[in-house]
Amino acid sequence: MKNLKLNSILIILIVLFSDITLGQNITEKEASYVSLNVNFINDAVFMGRKDSIATPYLYPSILYHNKSGLYASGSFSYLTKSSESRIDLFLITAGYDFSIKKLTGDISFTKYFFNDDSYNVISEVEADLTASIIYDLDIINLGVTANTYFNKNN
């Protein structure tokens, strides 16, 4: 039992600190690039809330990032339930990120387009505006992020 606890703690520590050894220096902007990504989400959660009905999504996305810091991305969420297979959400994002020595920041705007049949917990949101700033202290990074969400009523 003691070995199980030690192994569990070791695995947790490796997962928590793996980005330190495998991370990239995000302040270097050598070239523009395009990135394709596919994720699977077995149950969507928004701000700690989830629907009582499981919502498994296949989530492909594409990102274009210009070396100037401007970027745009688009994605959609395909609901993979056999009884409700459909595209539930399209979203597009435009933003700008920057780095000045040890200071990095990002500001972005995302527009959501939900299917009328969607019951996803975030489906009342129409758009969001996000800003973040991070300062690298070598040992630890300090950061602040602010989000505001726009819904259909406000």
Side-chain angles (χ1 to χ4, degrees):
M1 187 65 142
K2 189 174 183 178
N3 285 337
L4 181 62
K5 286 183 182 180
L6 287 174
N7 288 340
S8 298
I9 291 171
L10 182 60
I11 290 170
I12 290 169
L13 290 174
I14 289 170
V15 169
L16 288 175
F17 295 107
S18 63
D19 67 333
I20 292 172
T21 59
L22 300 174
Q24 295 177 335
N25 185 354
I26 62 172
T27 60
E28 295 181 79
K29 294 181 184 162
E30 297 173 5
S32 300
Y33 61 91
V34 173
S35 174
L36 300 171
N37 194 6
V38 177
N39 289 306
F40 178 76
I41 303 168
N42 65 347
D43 200 5
V45 176
F46 175 66
M47 297 184 77
R49 294 179 57 207
K50 71 176 189 175
D51 201 300
S52 59
I53 302 168
T55 50
Y57 288 108
L58 188 62
Y59 185 77
S61 61
I62 186 169
L63 164 73
Y64 171 73
H65 191 278
N66 189 280
K67 64 182 177 181
S68 69
L70 292 172
Y71 63 90
S73 67
S75 62
F76 65 88
S77 295
Y78 178 74
L79 185 60
T80 60
K81 289 176 98 173
S82 59
S83 62
E84 300 184 67
S85 299
R86 66 174 182 262
I87 293 178
D88 222 14
L89 164 68
F90 288 98
L91 63 92
I92 55 172
T93 300
Y96 176 75
D97 63 9
F98 66 91
S99 61
I100 304 168
K101 296 185 182 182
K102 294 185 172 198
L103 183 70
T104 60
D106 183 271
I107 186 164
S108 66
F109 179 80
T110 302
K111 176 68 176 142
Y112 301 85
F113 302 94
F114 280 94
N115 184 317
D116 289 337
D117 296 330
S118 178
Y119 52 82
N120 191 314
V121 69
I122 194 175
S123 62
E124 290 299 310
V125 173
E126 288 191 338
D128 75 61
L129 180 63
T130 302
S132 67
I133 193 159
I134 299 169
Y135 189 78
D136 181 1
L137 295 170
D138 294 327
I139 297 173
I140 190 169
N141 291 343
L142 296 178
V144 175
T145 299
N147 296 353
T148 187
Y149 294 94
F150 304 97
N151 66 22
K152 295 177 182 179
N153 299 324
N154 295 326

